[in-house]
Amino acid sequence: MKFRQSIWEDVLYHQKYDLIVVGAGLTGQSAALFFKKENPDAKVLVVDRGVFPIGASTRNAGFACIGTIGEHLSDLEIDSEEQLKKRIKDRYEGLILLRETIGDDAMDYNHTGGWELYIDPDKYKIAEENISRFNYWMEELIGEQNIYEPVVYNGITSIYNRCEGMLHPGKAIKKLYELNRALGVEFRWNTPIKEIDPNEGKIIVDELLYFSADKIVVATNAFTSKLLKDYVIKPGRGYVFVTNELNHLNWKGTFHYDKGYVYFRNLGDKRVLLGGGRNIDPNAEETDEFGINEDIKGFLLYFAEEVLELPEGWKVEYEWSGIMGFTESKSAILEKVSDHCIVAAGLSGMGVALGMQLGKKAAKAV
Ligand SMILES: Cc1cc2nc3c(=O)[nH]c(=O)nc-3n(C[C@H](O)[C@H](O)[C@H](O)COP(=O)(O)OP(=O)(O)OC[C@H]3O[C@@H](n4cnc5c(N)ncnc54)[C@H](O)[C@@H]3O)c2cc1C
């Protein structure tokens, strides 16, 4: 016997959908959008455990980037050349898709270019020697010449990448939500899914409440292994802070340091956003709990003081953490779990560029 629900509520609770997406981040909402565009009559539902998405899509740094030479060289230690080339191309094309779908104005997109800074001359020498190699790759992948170029920024040796820019992640997600709502996609917030039955096509909230669908897309990124135990996606916490308004700001654009582990950008004309440093304490940061690691924060404060030389009186005015999901090779997973279920997750810290494209591919695979 069921005690909680009335017989009338059965039609509300146990509806059958054509597609249910679990996770309302960039990947999940994009899967819903592209599926609904192709299938206007389909009944589509997106569920998320939060009042807003609470993972990475609204907590990232807003870098629209395809990767630095330092990051590529480091990735080649764990992945094949072929896979890395594919990922760079996916990131490039993913950014074009994101900009076309959301629109630059709607998400404050600014095509600033990106700089990778080198303080250690030996490391710079290795990167510089690889500029022509990666420029050749880029020509092969996207048909454009001289993407990477050696420059000096504020007296620091750097490699400039003219393909990159910055955006407002909150505005991007807000617009994506509006596009979905306009097409009639349903959303159910505050709905943590406890279990998925991929064979029956059911997502289970608790013993009385479940939703079923012909197809389910699991787009829960760092939290996927909790629902689908066979998929190993390791959580990685990321930390970001934003300064107060500064009298003058010498850094305009997106900047990376140390294989992309440290990153910063201007936020408007007066503030700096600085984040990363996960490699300072990698074991502690392999967590899906939000929170701030004081050692990492201390390192980033030191970096802001010593490398960025922020003007006197600067301080942290906002800070937060978000959770990324890493696969072993750093390539995202798009796989069929059963006839009713697909997993699209593991964006490994590159989801601004890859999330929408992965969601679109998931919608196609459905
Ligand atoms: C601090 C930080 C900085 C970053 N900076 C950048 C950057 O500058 N550029 C870049 O390209 N990438 C960046 N990233 C990575 C990027 O944000 C992610 O790769 C991308 O947002 C992943 O999107 P997603 O939709 O796959 O996952 P998420 O945005 O994490 O969405 C997953 C959703 O699933 C929901 N969920 C989880 N479990 C359940 C459950 N059981 N039931 C219901 N819902 C559930 C969560 O609430 C969440 O909303 C950064 C990430 C962090 C954390």
Side-chain angles (χ1 to χ4, degrees):
M1 189 137 55
K2 294 179 185 176
F3 293 107
R4 195 178 62 193
Q5 288 154 219
S6 74
I7 195 165
W8 322 120
E9 284 167 339
D10 215 37
V11 297
L12 299 173
Y13 280 85
H14 298 141
Q15 298 180 57
K16 170 115 192 197
Y17 289 85
D18 295 301
L19 172 68
I20 294 179
V21 179
V22 185
L26 186 57
T27 307
Q29 287 207 45
S30 301
L33 182 79
F34 287 101
F35 182 81
K36 185 73 176 163
K37 274 187 177 174
E38 284 297 313
N39 305 277
D41 296 331
K43 214 165 136 52
V44 180
L45 173 70
V46 180
V47 297
D48 199 285
R49 62 183 182 162
V51 174
F52 298 110
I54 37 168
S57 295
T58 51
R59 302 186 145 251
N60 62 54
F63 282 56
C65 55
I66 59 164
T68 63
I69 288 188
E71 186 185 344
H72 296 332
L73 290 172
S74 160
D75 283 355
L76 280 173
E77 290 169 17
I78 54 165
D79 214 353
S80 68
E81 197 169 300
E82 191 191 354
Q83 278 303 318
L84 179 57
K85 279 185 178 171
K86 183 177 174 306
R87 207 158 58 224
I88 296 171
K89 192 163 193 277
D90 280 350
R91 288 171 83 170
Y92 181 80
E93 290 173 354
L95 285 172
I96 294 174
L97 178 70
L98 181 71
R99 291 178 62 189
E100 279 173 2
T101 309
I102 302 291
D104 287 353
D105 289 348
M107 58 179 179
D108 296 348
Y109 180 81
N110 190 354
H111 198 81
T112 52
W115 288 259
E116 180 177 36
L117 307 182
Y118 282 89
I119 296 169
D120 179 337
D122 293 337
K123 288 186 179 158
Y124 178 68
K125 192 166 173 286
I126 297 170
E128 195 194 19
E129 282 166 4
N130 277 280
I131 290 178
S132 53
R133 174 190 186 190
F134 287 107
N135 273 339
Y136 179 74
W137 278 28
M138 293 310 290
E139 200 176 335
E140 181 192 332
L141 295 173
I142 66 168
E144 293 214 28
Q145 293 183 338
N146 300 325
I147 295 291
Y148 296 101
E149 175 191 353
V151 294
V152 175
Y153 196 108
N154 284 348
I156 301 179
T157 46
S158 311
I159 298 174
Y160 178 67
N161 175 345
R162 64 184 167 83
C163 283
E164 302 191 331
M166 60 171 82
L167 54 82
H168 187 310
K171 288 189 179 179
I173 286 290
K174 186 166 177 280
K175 180 71 187 182
L176 186 53
Y177 173 70
E178 286 164 5
L179 292 172
N180 267 310
R181 291 294 296 129
L183 291 181
V185 171
E186 292 178 37
F187 280 79
R188 217 164 281 275
W189 300 105
N190 255 331
T191 308
I193 300 307
K194 203 169 117 196
E195 213 178 302
I196 292 179
D197 184 337
N199 297 319
E200 292 293 318
K202 262 189 189 175
I203 59 162
I204 297 154
V205 181
D206 60 32
E207 68 279 6
L208 288 183
L209 177 55
Y210 63 85
F211 300 101
S212 42
D214 188 32
K215 302 287 178 196
I216 297 168
V217 171
V218 183
T220 45
N221 204 31
F223 312 93
T224 304
S225 305
K226 286 186 172 168
L227 294 171
L228 300 170
K229 306 237 169 331
D230 291 345
Y231 291 88
V232 182
I233 295 171
K234 286 191 182 163
R237 184 168 60 188
Y239 169 69
V240 170
F241 72 67
V242 173
T243 67
N244 56 332
E245 291 195 348
L246 309 171
N247 292 335
H248 56 94
L249 183 56
N250 291 338
W251 302 95
K252 295 275 171 71
T254 63
F255 301 87
H256 286 99
Y257 172 71
D258 192 10
K259 300 171 248 176
Y261 277 116
V262 176
Y263 43 84
F264 62 98
R265 52 170 277 193
N266 64 299
L267 189 55
D269 289 334
K270 294 192 169 169
R271 295 180 197 269
V272 172
L273 177 155
L274 174 62
R278 209 166 32 88
N279 56 333
I280 299 287
D281 196 354
N283 292 337
E285 295 311 283
E286 199 181 300
T287 171
D288 61 11
E289 298 286 325
F290 295 96
I292 290 166
N293 181 323
E294 290 302 328
D295 289 345
I296 292 175
K297 180 175 174 179
F299 166 74
L300 293 176
L301 291 174
Y302 172 83
F303 188 87
E305 193 69 38
E306 298 299 319
V307 180
L308 272 61
E309 297 180 338
L310 294 185
E312 210 171 304
W314 79 272
K315 59 181 182 185
V316 173
E317 215 163 78
Y318 298 82
E319 61 182 342
W320 64 86
S321 68
I323 313 292
M324 294 168 272
F326 290 89
T327 62
E328 205 169 332
S329 69
K330 281 181 76 178
S331 289
I333 297 172
L334 176 64
E335 252 179 64
K336 188 173 159 180
V337 181
S338 72
D339 283 347
H340 295 289
C341 184
I342 285 172
V343 58
L347 288 105
S348 305
M350 298 169 280
V352 171
L354 292 172
M356 180 166 277
Q357 200 190 45
L358 184 69
K360 188 177 181 183
K361 284 181 185 167
K364 200 159 176 233
V366 161

